Every structure is written in C-alpha cells, then in structure tokens.
Amino acid sequence: MEIILSSNPELSRMKHEGVLRFKDVDVATEQTASLLSHTVERSDDTLRVVVDHSYFTAKRTIFEVSAPHSEQVTTRVVAAVQEAVIGVQTKTVEMLASVNAAVINSLDDQEIVHSVLAEVMNVLPHADAGVFRLFDEESGYLIPVSHQGLPDDYTHYRLQPNESVSGEVFVTGVPAIHNGRQNIIDAHRVMSPESQSFMERSRIANALLCVPVAAEGKRLGTLTTLCFSPRGTFSPFDSTVLESLAAQVAVAYQRSLAYKNAVATSKRLEKMRSDLASKNAELDRAVELHDKLLRIFSTSGSLVERLDLVADLFGVEFRFENVLGVDYLSSGWTDTRGSFEQIVQVAEAPVGFFHFRPVCDVPFQRALFGTLSAFVALDFIRDMSTLDVLNASRRSYFEDLLKGVDSHGRLEHFGFRLERFHQIMVAKVLAPDSPDARLSLHRSQANLQNAIKLSNALIFHQDDQIIMVFSASTASALARNLASMMDRVLLLDIQVGASVVYDLTGFHSTAKAQAQKAVDCLARRGQSGILLHQDMGIEALLSGRDRHEIIDFAREVLAPLLHDRKHDFLYETLRTYVQEGKSAARAASCLKIHNNTLYQRLARIETLTGRKISDAEDFTLLSVACQLYSTYSG
C-alpha cells in the first residue's frame, strides 16, 4: 500500500509554515509492526516523532517538530497519518470487495486467466506489472498463462517447483515479499541455466510480492506483482490483500474447470448415446456376418479356399497377406491407391493385413473385415501351433544327433538324411526384442530356407537363434550352398556363423560350438552376413569380450596415430604395411609413395608408438590392433 503524506492538507500547511519536516524510511519486511504506532524523542529545540505504519506501507515516517506547542502538533501529525492510512486501507478493501463480478463469477477459465491481472492492478494501483502462473502437471513447470507490464517473451519464462521466488512460494505455500533490487536478485538464487539467462536479460524490479493461488488445499499456481518505482515497496497488508484476491481467483478457476468438465462429460454422454444406437444397429448386422463366416471357416480346406468363398458370398474385392508368406488376391482385385487396411493381430502382434477398396457402405465393410480378421487370426494360431510342434520335433532330432542317438523313425519325416560331409550354421536376427519375437523367428527361418540352395537341410529355431544343419555327399556341394547364401543373407540383415565342413559323425557338437562362436563374433562387430569359424583369426580368442572393450584395446595401442587427425596417414601406412605382409614394395605401391618415404613413415610410427616394427612382439601387437580397429571401429 502507498500513502502520500505530502498531499495531506494539514501536514502540507505545517510543512509550508516551517512547523515540521518529515521523510519516509524503508522498513525490512521482517521488522514491520503489526499495528500503527509512534514514538517521541525530545531535544533542546525540536521534537522528533517517528510514526511506524510499516505493516501497511513497509515504511516509517520521521517528523521533526519545531513549534512551541509541540505536543498539540504531535497529536495532529499522528492523527493525520492514521487518517491517511485508514483512507487508503478503506479504499483498498472497497476495491477488493468490488472485484469485477464478471471475472470472479465467470465460468470461462480463459476469461478468468486473462482478466485477473487487471483486477490486481485495480486493487494494488502501486503495482506496475504482474504475472499469473499455473502449474502444468504434464510438463512439471509453472507456466505464465497471463502477464501485464512485462515483455512479450515472458511467456517463455517457465519455472520448476522450488525454482526462483514463484517456485518456492508454490511449494511452501508461504507468500514472499522482497523490497529492493538486491533482495530480489538474492531471492532468485535457485534457478536453471535457461531461467538465469532470461533473468539476466530482464529489467529488475524494485519490489516483488508473490502469493500462492490455492483452492480446497490444492495449489494451482502463483500470483506475482512487481513495482519498478525507485521507492516502490510492498507491505504485509498488500500481501493480505493479494492473498484474498488469489483465493477468489482460485475458487473461480476451479469452478470454471468443474463446469468445463461437466459440459464435456455431458457431450460425451450424448455422443455415447448416439453411438450406442448406431452400434446396436451394426450389432445386428455383425451377428449375421459372424454366422455366415463361422459356416465358411467351419468347412475343411485351405485358407485361400475359404477367402475365395468370402469374396464370392459378399461380392467384395480384397487382398490378404501374412507374415508367413501367404499372399491372396480376390479374382477382381487390382492394386489401387486409397485402399483401406485391416490388421490381423495375435497377442497384439500384427500377423497379416487385409486391403480393400471403400464402397458406399464403408461401416459394413469394416465390420466384415474386422470379423474376418478374427477368424483368420484363429487359423493363424492353429498354423503356428503346427509349426511349433514341427520345430520342437526337429530340435529334438538334432539333440539326438549331438548325443549320437540313432533316430531312424524321424528321418523321412523331415526329408533330411546324413551324408558324408556336414556343416552347421547358427543365425541371429538383427531385430530388438519385441512382442512378436516368435513371429520374427518363424519369418526369418522361412527367409533363410528360401536362401538355401541345398535341399538336404535340417532347420529349426531355439531360443533366439536359428540352427541349420547341412549334409552332402561332397564338400564342394556345401561350398556352393555357402556361396549362394552369402549375398542373400546380407539383404536379410541376419548374422550367420558357420562351422568348418567335417565328415566325423561325432563332430556335431564341436561344429555347433564353432558356428556359435562365429555368430557371436559378428554380433560383436555389429555386422550382418556369414562368417566362417576358420576366418575368425585372432578374434577366436575374444569370446566374452564386449565390442567397446576391443575398440578401447586397439585405440590404446594405436593412440598416438588415432588421437591426432594429422597422423591419419601414418595409421593408414601401418595398416597397409600389415596387410601386405611387411612387404615394403607392395605397401609403397598401394600407397603410391616411394620406398624411402615408406621407411621414413615407419620410423615416425615407431617414434610415436614407442614400439619397434623389427621386434616380433611389438609388431604382433601393432598388427593385431590394426586388424581389430579396422574391423570393429567401422
């Protein structure tokens, strides 16, 4: 609250007559008196009267009286201050009581938000600016929903709870008064870097008052007022007034939200009634559809034959495809843009898709293909069960092979027979874990089967891997099969490890371990394709090592060549020299440099790494590091 004593007629007259002099003194918030009081100090020729009205104004006024009738003057001075305080206090309370009813009683939350600051400025006219913040539970920030007397970009000045003055007031529920620029700066000690940057670019007020906005025990946000006047201050009385206004705003805002929710609920109920009537009508058609489709899918025959019956009975054209490779086109279907799609799901995983063109009765079509997808999903589950049983039998047969158990009863069933030469491959699918991981295995297994040239193969999946056992009368047949698979596996984005070709019946377990090591090596590299166990080289010793551990080892050995871009050519020189088997002539030719230049570079490499190329142990370490870094860093 602000009072101007110089405008009081009696005080102004006495000041003009030289009877008294007076000045205002700021009082710290924590030192304000709860009531209006005064003290008198006498000296030889003057009387010093200190009137404390700090609860209302955050100030004291010091009067110096030099009249012969000082006691009467003192009484008139104190009475004048009381009159001024009571006058402003009464006016403030009247304005608070007459806050715009259209705002407080409004059921429009946006109208309340954007009008509240005008009411604040009306009730506290000495406030120059204000901001109304609401807490957004989704983002966790106090967001300025309206502001007045501040720059337009103030809307971006968002605060977290406990951050700055508003964040602290929001968390504690205790109003805050800060008079003086330095006090305001000190109060903003807890701030994020973004808020600190905004604060540094902003104009600092001379007084700040912030109160919580709460209703029914729940804090909704904060209401802040600012005064930029050099002598501007806020008092506890101002805080009480603003708290009262904030309480009215909070109640009005909560009421508007409740009304808004009630209207939305009413609209939802009306829509639900309308939808229910439509769904009842659709339900009758859906029941009829279900009965017809049930009769079709109760008959024997393949899925393709049943889909033919559906197309003929309902006169619809569509296309169907599933993850196991079935691709059905009705007789009149032609691929066109703008077709609708119906997903077939099993355990929330998509296993197939219907594509159909919209006609005049789209709801009927959606009901038809929605019901049809449910029947197809049941068929898919039955087919998957058959595949799972077959996979379990193949896995059991392979386990017998590993144990050396003779299982003649299953040989013809799988179309697989043991010839003279054998090879085992283990495959991993480069896909993250997902609810349809089982489908991914079946799909990848089918893709691998199409990539295989050799017909005599036993293929099944186990856990998250696919096992392939090949057998042929000649080793060259296995080599041709491997060559034909190489390019196709790269396109499938699958990692495959292959054992050596062997002719020992008791070698199956060792061969599987070889293939497992090779596919684990590819996984460490993060590469797809096929890797033969015999091509692993030094990497056969790295089982159990993480890819980053290997790269860190190589970087440590080659650090002087890798940490500085100007030494890239030295790393390339060393790598080429190693690849060319320490042949200076071939290495220089590959690098297109003179032999003497090569030797100079090798000498520089020895100096930087501290290792001698002529030393067998040092060269072995350098060559291994080159090979590993080249393989894993890319």
Side-chain angles (χ1 to χ4, degrees):
M1 191 172 82
E2 184 178 19
I3 60 173
I4 304 175
L5 296 177
S6 59
S7 64
N8 181 276
E10 187 168 7
L11 294 178
S12 178
R13 179 183 58 77
M14 287 190 290
K15 182 178 180 182
H16 180 71
E17 294 173 354
V19 174
L20 57 80
R21 299 192 305 271
F22 57 87
K23 65 176 180 178
D24 292 333
V25 178
D26 292 336
V27 178
T29 305
E30 60 273 10
Q31 296 176 348
T32 56
S34 58
L35 297 173
L36 188 67
S37 62
H38 72 278
T39 59
V40 178
E41 301 174 3
R42 297 180 182 275
S43 61
D44 294 338
D45 56 348
T46 61
L47 187 70
R48 191 168 181 266
V49 182
V50 180
V51 182
D52 191 338
H53 45 85
S54 57
Y55 176 78
F56 304 98
T57 64
K59 296 179 185 295
R60 296 190 186 104
T61 303
I62 300 174
F63 296 87
E64 292 184 357
V65 182
S66 59
H69 305 289
S70 57
E71 291 185 1
Q72 292 88 339
V73 173
T74 300
T75 302
R76 298 208 309 264
V77 165
V78 173
V81 174
Q82 287 178 335
E83 180 183 350
V85 170
I86 291 172
V88 177
Q89 182 182 3
T90 302
K91 183 179 179 181
T92 301
V93 173
E94 288 175 353
M95 287 189 293
L96 183 62
S98 63
V99 167
N100 191 344
V103 174
I104 297 303
N105 297 324
S106 174
L107 293 177
D108 185 346
D109 59 312
Q110 294 302 312
E111 181 181 356
I112 294 172
V113 164
H114 293 295
S115 302
V116 64
L117 291 175
E119 301 300 334
V120 172
M121 301 302 177
N122 185 43
V123 173
L124 299 176
H126 53 294
D128 299 319
V131 56
F132 181 26
R133 286 186 171 90
L134 288 175
F135 180 67
D136 179 44
E137 294 184 356
E138 183 176 347
S139 66
Y141 280 92
L142 282 163
I143 299 177
V145 291
S146 66
H147 59 82
Q148 189 167 322
L150 295 168
D152 291 340
D153 63 348
Y154 203 85
T155 53
H156 303 299
Y157 185 24
R158 301 183 173 193
L159 301 172
Q160 295 178 346
N162 266 329
E163 181 184 356
S164 186
V165 176
S166 291
E168 186 175 346
V169 169
F170 176 75
V171 171
T172 62
V174 179
I177 301 175
H178 298 289
N179 291 322
R181 288 169 51 84
Q182 189 58 48
N183 290 336
I184 293 175
I185 293 172
D186 294 342
H188 289 73
R189 58 189 180 278
V190 179
M191 297 185 74
S192 66
E194 296 82 2
S195 299
Q196 183 69 41
S197 174
F198 186 91
M199 183 76 175
E200 291 171 354
R201 299 193 309 270
S202 302
R203 178 186 176 192
I204 306 299
N206 198 63
L208 180 150
L209 169 61
C210 181
V211 300
V213 179
E216 300 177 357
K218 180 181 179 181
R219 295 191 193 105
L220 307 178
T222 61
L223 194 55
T224 305
T225 58
L226 303 167
C227 181
F228 294 103
S229 173
R231 293 189 50 76
T233 55
F234 288 114
S235 67
F237 180 72
D238 293 326
S239 178
T240 302
V241 171
L242 193 59
E243 285 181 78
S244 177
L245 178 58
Q248 295 182 59
V249 170
V251 171
Y253 187 75
Q254 284 285 73
R255 185 172 61 243
S256 70
L257 292 183
Y259 172 75
K260 192 175 183 179
N261 290 336
V263 171
T265 301
S266 176
K267 290 180 179 179
R268 285 197 301 270
L269 289 174
E270 183 61 33
K271 187 176 185 305
M272 287 171 62
R273 282 193 290 268
S274 175
D275 290 344
L276 184 60
S278 299
K279 289 185 181 297
N280 284 335
E282 293 296 329
L283 182 61
D284 293 337
R285 289 204 297 179
V287 170
E288 183 181 358
L289 277 176
H290 183 274
D291 291 342
K292 292 179 179 178
L293 291 175
L294 180 60
R295 285 195 293 271
I296 290 175
F297 279 82
S298 297
T299 61
S300 59
S302 67
L303 176 61
V304 171
E305 292 172 337
R306 292 170 179 173
L307 294 178
D308 273 333
L309 290 174
V310 171
D312 292 341
L313 178 62
F314 294 99
V316 290
E317 298 173 359
F318 60 90
R319 175 186 175 187
F320 173 74
E321 54 184 335
N322 73 3
V323 296
L324 297 182
V326 175
D327 196 347
Y328 170 83
L329 300 175
S330 62
S331 59
W333 174 263
T334 54
D335 285 326
T336 58
R337 295 180 180 178
S339 61
F340 286 174
E341 181 181 86
Q342 172 65 51
I343 301 175
V344 180
Q345 291 184 310
V346 173
E348 299 184 357
V351 299
F353 299 89
F354 280 102
H355 301 275
F356 58 95
R357 280 189 294 274
V359 293
C360 56
D361 196 353
V362 174
F364 172 76
Q365 279 188 303
R366 290 200 176 278
L368 168 62
F369 285 99
T371 308
L372 181 58
S373 67
F375 280 100
V376 172
L378 290 174
D379 253 26
F380 185 87
I381 292 173
R382 182 196 62 197
D383 292 341
M384 285 289 292
S385 298
T386 302
L387 290 174
D388 286 340
V389 170
L390 182 59
N391 186 76
S393 297
R394 289 173 175 169
R395 187 172 65 243
S396 178
Y397 172 54
F398 179 69
E399 289 171 357
D400 287 346
L401 288 180
L402 295 180
K403 296 174 184 176
V405 178
D406 195 4
S407 304
H408 293 292
R410 288 194 284 254
L411 295 183
E412 292 185 358
H413 180 70
F414 301 126
F416 176 77
R417 63 191 180 281
L418 287 173
E419 300 279 2
R420 180 182 175 185
F421 295 97
H422 322 289
Q423 188 174 35
I424 294 180
M425 296 186 189
V426 176
K428 283 186 177 180
V429 181
L430 294 179
D433 293 335
S434 61
D436 63 343
R438 178 173 161 227
L439 295 177
S440 295
L441 278 172
H442 279 294
R443 188 163 53 240
S444 298
Q445 184 172 321
N447 290 335
L448 281 172
Q449 197 136 16
N450 292 331
I452 293 169
K453 184 176 183 179
L454 195 64
S455 60
N456 190 26
L458 178 70
I459 305 176
F460 61 93
H461 59 261
Q462 183 175 15
D463 298 328
D464 62 342
Q465 296 180 330
I466 299 170
I467 313 297
M468 294 170 283
V469 185
F470 302 99
S471 192
S473 57
T474 63
S476 60
L478 295 175
R480 288 193 297 272
N481 176 61
L482 178 66
S484 68
M485 291 179 64
M486 284 286 187
D487 293 336
R488 301 190 68 178
V489 168
L490 276 174
L491 295 176
L492 294 175
D493 203 21
I494 295 177
Q495 297 165 336
V496 179
S499 72
V500 299
V501 174
Y502 60 97
D503 60 356
L504 301 174
T505 55
F507 198 73
H508 298 309
S509 181
T510 303
K512 181 179 180 296
Q514 289 180 347
Q516 185 70 57
K517 286 183 179 180
V519 76
D520 289 343
C521 181
L522 274 181
R524 282 196 304 271
R525 295 181 183 179
Q527 299 173 355
S528 59
I530 300 178
L531 177 64
L532 293 169
H533 179 266
Q534 60 262 37
D535 292 339
M536 289 176 60
I538 193 69
E539 292 180 82
L541 300 175
L542 301 179
S543 178
R545 291 292 181 183
D546 181 77
R547 178 172 182 267
H548 295 289
E549 289 182 295
I550 297 170
I551 295 175
D552 289 343
F553 161 75
R555 281 178 175 163
E556 184 177 348
V557 175
L558 303 172
L561 309 182
L562 300 177
H563 289 175
D564 194 334
R565 294 300 302 270
K566 68 182 181 182
H567 292 152
D568 285 353
F569 75 98
L570 293 178
Y571 165 70
E572 187 62 27
T573 298
L574 178 61
R575 189 178 69 84
T576 305
Y577 186 66
V578 170
Q579 286 180 342
E580 296 301 326
K582 297 182 73 172
S583 170
R586 290 199 301 271
S589 175
C590 288
L591 295 169
K592 295 182 174 56
I593 59 176
H594 194 273
N595 281 15
N596 290 339
T597 304
L598 175 68
Y599 288 126
Q600 290 171 1
R601 290 185 182 182
L602 294 177
R604 179 65 175 152
I605 290 169
E606 288 182 331
T607 302
L608 289 173
T609 61
R611 303 187 184 277
K612 294 293 184 180
I613 292 177
S614 58
D615 183 276
E617 184 176 342
D618 282 353
F619 182 74
T620 299
L621 189 61
L622 289 171
S623 61
V624 168
C626 275
Q627 178 186 341
L628 294 179
Y629 187 77
S630 177
T631 301
Y632 284 86
S633 65

